[in-house]
Amino acid sequence: MANDSNSSYLLACLHTIVIYLWIIIGTIIFGLTAILVSFFSKTGNSVHHVARLWGRSILWVSGLHVQVVGLENIDASRSAIYMSNHQSNYDIPVLFSALPIQFRWLAKAELFKIPIFGQGMRGAGYISVDRRDTKSAIRSLGRAAQNVREGTSVMIFPEGTRSSDGALLPFKSGGFVLAVDAGVSIVPMAVQGTFDVMPKGRKIIRRQAVRLVVRPPIDARAYTRKTKNELMESVHDAIQEAMAFQPEGGGHA
């Protein structure tokens, strides 16, 4: 039994090395492609297609397949704010790969400082928010609200960071101020399984079943800045339910 365990661990280590190498190489290749494409894409849509290929390539080399439940809850013809739990670095390629829609990330400013990756994010029209600078963050949310009103959907991790134990963390308020100001719906969703693939603080990557569960939209027009906490609770409950969702018969992804 010990030998089997050691062999499994060794194989996981070798597989992880291959994945890390591809993430580095793939990020350089797709990042440079995204930067190049951004010069010819006024909308950023083509850059997003490149990002989807990047995400799919990471899932492929990692041996992961994503089951999607609830795509009927997404109206691709209307802009919305999409909110998901955040358990792992793998959440990003999963969302890129599994959602057949255009969206832009609302992301912390630090990510835009990563060489190539950051330039690619700017080329795609992703929105930087510096949480350490309140005035700058407010301006960023104002620009984001205008973009959403003009038809651009936005993806947000409302927890603001990855969960260290897989449980849903308290939400930051910025995304809900954005939803209320933009007057659009929030589409709650949850990624299942990525915590077991690569939890925060662990380097070894393991193959696990992964599922994305999309819940019905919640209309933010029914709320104001003063009542945004009620909106936050509704979205928190919806994402919590999505995290616990199991298909009939208890099938696996």
Side-chain angles (χ1 to χ4, degrees), residues 67-206:
Q67 179 193 30
V68 186
V69 179
L71 275 183
E72 67 276 6
N73 293 315
I74 293 177
D75 183 353
S77 68
R78 302 178 64 181
S79 61
I81 295 176
Y82 297 93
M83 293 192 178
S84 173
N85 62 328
H86 196 14
Q87 299 184 333
S88 166
N89 283 329
Y90 267 81
D91 297 336
I92 294 173
V94 165
L95 291 169
F96 268 134
S97 303
L99 294 174
I101 54 171
Q102 286 282 336
F103 60 83
R104 304 293 178 263
W105 289 94
L106 185 70
K108 55 187 179 182
E110 292 84 348
L111 293 177
F112 290 79
K113 297 177 182 178
I114 300 174
I116 301 178
F117 185 80
Q119 286 90 329
M121 291 178 69
R122 289 190 189 91
Y126 298 157
I127 303 159
S128 170
V129 177
D130 188 349
R131 298 182 189 137
R132 297 167 299 184
D133 186 334
T134 303
K135 290 184 178 179
S136 174
I138 291 173
R139 288 195 299 270
S140 296
L141 289 174
R143 290 194 299 271
Q146 182 61 34
N147 290 344
V148 174
R149 285 192 291 268
E150 292 174 355
T152 301
S153 293
V154 174
M155 176 69 71
I156 299 175
F157 290 128
E159 297 164 280
T161 188
R162 284 171 291 156
S163 171
S164 59
D165 60 3
L168 194 61
L169 300 174
F171 287 172
K172 307 293 184 183
S173 64
F176 299 92
V177 172
L178 170 59
V180 169
D181 288 354
V184 297
S185 293
I186 294 175
V187 180
M189 60 186 66
V191 182
Q192 301 178 0
T194 52
F195 181 79
D196 294 322
V197 173
M198 188 185 185
K200 187 174 183 178
R202 193 183 75 188
K203 304 301 182 184
I204 299 296
I205 298 168
R206 298 186 184 278

Side-chain angles (χ1 to χ4, degrees), residues 213-243:
V213 181
V214 184
R215 303 298 294 167
I218 298 173
D219 193 349
R221 291 177 299 178
Y223 301 86
T224 66
R225 283 195 175 198
K226 289 184 178 180
T227 61
K228 70 179 184 301
N229 287 346
E230 296 175 19
L231 174 61
M232 197 180 307
E233 289 177 8
S234 296
V235 174
H236 193 281
D237 290 345
I239 293 179
Q240 192 80 65
E241 290 174 4
M243 291 172 65

Side-chain angles (χ1 to χ4, degrees), residues 12 15-23 54-66 89-90 93-94 197-198 205-210:
H15 187 217
T16 297
I17 291 171
V18 171
I19 295 169
Y20 280 141
L21 287 174
W22 173 247
I23 289 175
W54 169 81
R56 288 176 175 178
S57 74
I58 291 175
L59 296 185
W60 180 80
V61 78
S62 303
L64 299 179
H65 169 73
V66 182
N89 283 329
Y90 267 81
V94 165
V197 173
M198 188 185 185
I205 298 168
R206 298 186 184 278
R207 295 179 184 176
Q208 298 289 338
V210 177

